[in-house]
Amino acid sequence: MTLPTHLTSLSEYLAKQSWYDDLALSSDAQEWLLATESLTERLMSVTDGFAVHLVQQSYLPLHASERAVLQDDQYVVREVVLHDAGIPLVFARSVIPQSLCQGEFVGLGNQPLGKILFNDKRFVRQPFTLTRIDQGSVFAQAWSARADLFGRRSVFAYADLQLLVAEVFLPASPAYGASL
């Protein structure tokens, strides 16, 4: 799979995006961005070669927009690309409490985070916020976008902890009407 060479700076661009409770979306985009079930399971059902590529997982400083929605805690940042046989579909950045990385999420590696989040009733998803990434932006151009890209993020509550999952649907994603 070919990935942009500067994914770290791309995630910084993503963190500077404004997030909204509502955005005008096409019906295809609405169907994918507002769906509350597991994105992992949904992508697995429409692809033949679904896989997770771990870009990085480490202690990184949180962006201001992430700190604004999370409680004070120690966090690990995990960035992945969800793909279909090497075709990038979704770029995801998750901000995970350190204690979960040493517990429920130990050894996650290239495994989908969604398999844990949606198969453990203790994780409760809060409402989405949405973003639109201009097709002329560095982020969109890195993925060869010919139109604006859309993303979503939500907090998952787990006991007294919170984790934040942000997902940007890349150009080949079915969110834009692409058939896989």
Side-chain angles (χ1 to χ4, degrees):
M1 171 175 41
T2 304
L3 296 174
T5 56
H6 52 291
L7 273 176
T8 303
S9 62
L10 292 179
S11 71
E12 290 173 12
Y13 178 87
L14 175 62
K16 294 175 185 173
Q17 285 292 114
S18 296
W19 295 87
Y20 305 97
D21 292 334
D22 193 26
L23 277 178
L25 300 168
S26 70
S27 59
D28 284 328
Q30 278 184 15
E31 185 178 321
W32 282 88
L33 271 79
L34 302 179
T36 57
E37 71 268 14
S38 168
L39 178 60
T40 296
E41 290 178 13
R42 189 142 186 230
L43 286 171
M44 289 175 79
S45 75
V46 297
T47 61
D48 293 323
F50 176 83
V52 175
H53 174 79
L54 178 64
V55 174
Q56 67 177 339
Q57 181 170 322
S58 59
Y59 296 99
L60 296 172
L62 300 189
H63 301 295
S65 68
E66 294 166 335
R67 285 192 310 274
V69 297
L70 293 171
Q71 302 166 348
D72 288 334
D73 204 343
Q74 297 293 328
Y75 291 95
V76 171
V77 175
R78 172 182 161 91
E79 294 178 343
V80 300
V81 175
L82 308 180
H83 63 92
D84 179 19
I87 300 169
L89 303 174
V90 175
F91 174 78
R93 177 179 167 97
S94 302
V95 181
I96 306 168
Q98 177 183 348
S99 59
L100 287 177
C101 291
Q102 297 167 343
E104 282 76 357
F105 298 158
V106 150
L108 194 55
N110 283 328
Q111 298 303 308
L113 181 61
K115 281 204 170 190
I116 297 172
L117 295 177
F118 288 94
N119 290 303
D120 186 333
K121 302 253 186 259
R122 296 175 295 173
F123 291 96
V124 178
R125 177 178 247 162
Q126 297 176 6
F128 291 115
T129 54
L130 305 171
T131 193
R132 176 190 309 261
I133 300 171
D134 183 86
Q135 75 180 57
S137 71
V138 172
F139 187 94
Q141 290 302 304
W143 298 101
S144 303
R146 295 189 182 126
D148 292 350
L149 299 177
F150 292 95
R152 67 182 190 177
R153 74 178 186 181
S154 61
V155 171
F156 286 82
Y158 173 84
D160 60 343
L161 302 173
Q162 294 179 311
L163 63 127
L164 178 66
V165 177
E167 300 154 326
V168 177
F169 292 76
L170 301 174
S173 165
Y176 307 111
S179 57
L180 301 174

